[in-house]
Amino acid sequence: MNEDLSALITRLHSYSGLAHKKDIQTVARQLREAWPAPCANGDDGALIPDGTGFKLLAMEGFINHFVAEDPWFAGWCGVMVNLSDIAAMGGRPLAIVNALWDDDLPHAEQILQGMAAASRAWQVPIVGGHTNLRSEQPQLAVAVLGETTHPLSSFAVRPGQTLMVAINLHGRWHPPGLNWDAATDADPAALRRTLSLLPELAASGQVHAAKDISQAGLAGTLVMMLESAGLGAEIDLAQIPRPDEVGLEQWLCAFPSFGFLLAVEAEHCDAVQQRFEACDVACAAVGKFTINQQLMMQLQQQRACYWDLTQQPLTGMTNH
């Protein structure tokens, strides 16, 4: 039986990852008041001019109950998600810092062990941070410094470009949430190689813009990308790479460990797909960017609007 697209969209709108992204609207409004000049920093990381290139700064804070209930994985994710943010900006990571609060030393040690394991796997040093072991509850924030000479940014997407999705399908669910773990058991050399693809493709000019698929899921992350670009998109849900055993709704809401949305000129699509697949990462053209500000979804013979940015913002991070 075919999935009803309108019903699927209604369920996707109720996903909690979207609500967290809506909270960014308050931040965006305050930033515009403090810095009214156009600034393209509302992306995966801050882009800071540095002579002939740019420094990149990414930071993630984590929900307290996640840190409390899954400390090792929280520490690992603290590093992993920031490295993906740096890669999405076309950059290479240089160093990691963290801020850790906890009320229990053994619990804090598990967080630090997860961070250290990820630091070793990706060969990025932890160079400092802040620690408080007399807190009322566990809390964690992690930041990564990177650099690039060929930055990628959602603000740079152009209408007519092809929307591609690259995702590592070789993983498993890490309960209780929709976290697809394609990293903790992977070969560290393979992790480093796949992460380096983004800055390599940025430098070659084969990828024009990118966005790391976040806790908002693929659908929500695409809306964020479109909001920054001031554009819309057409996406064929059947073309999205996904594991055979995973349902479409789950996959559209999942955090996939290694997953990116890419804006690519048509003549580069085959080469980009081959580069990812040579690293055993699934990559496919799934749609195109359009001049209207709607995300239109297609599934079999059905077509419906998932999000209309002219009627409803998501993060409010836009220069348009």
Side-chain angles (χ1 to χ4, degrees), residues 172-190:
R172 66 190 189 283
W173 290 118
H174 186 105
L178 291 176
N179 293 306
W180 182 256
D181 182 3
T184 57
D185 290 335
D187 174 23

Side-chain angles (χ1 to χ4, degrees), residues 188-257:
L191 293 176
R192 296 191 294 272
R193 179 73 194 103
T194 54
L195 199 70
S196 70
L197 284 176
L198 273 297
E200 290 173 4
L201 291 167
S204 71
Q206 292 175 305
V207 169
H208 190 76
K211 188 80 174 170
D212 169 46
I213 298 174
S214 71
Q215 289 287 349
L218 190 153
T221 301
L222 181 53
V223 174
M224 294 167 65
M225 189 177 195
L226 299 177
E227 191 170 30
S228 296
L231 296 176
E234 301 264 356
I235 184 171
D236 185 347
L237 300 182
Q239 299 303 312
I240 297 171
R242 61 185 168 99
D244 293 337
E245 70 274 20
V246 176
L248 178 60
E249 181 178 343
Q250 285 182 304
W251 199 236
L252 290 174
C253 295
F255 170 68
S257 291

Side-chain angles (χ1 to χ4, degrees), residues 3 32 43 72 93 95 163 194 212 240 253 281 303:
E3 176 87 60
R32 277 195 296 271
D43 213 352
W72 189 95
L163 168 62
T194 54
D212 169 46
I240 297 171
C253 295
V281 173
R303 186 172 181 271

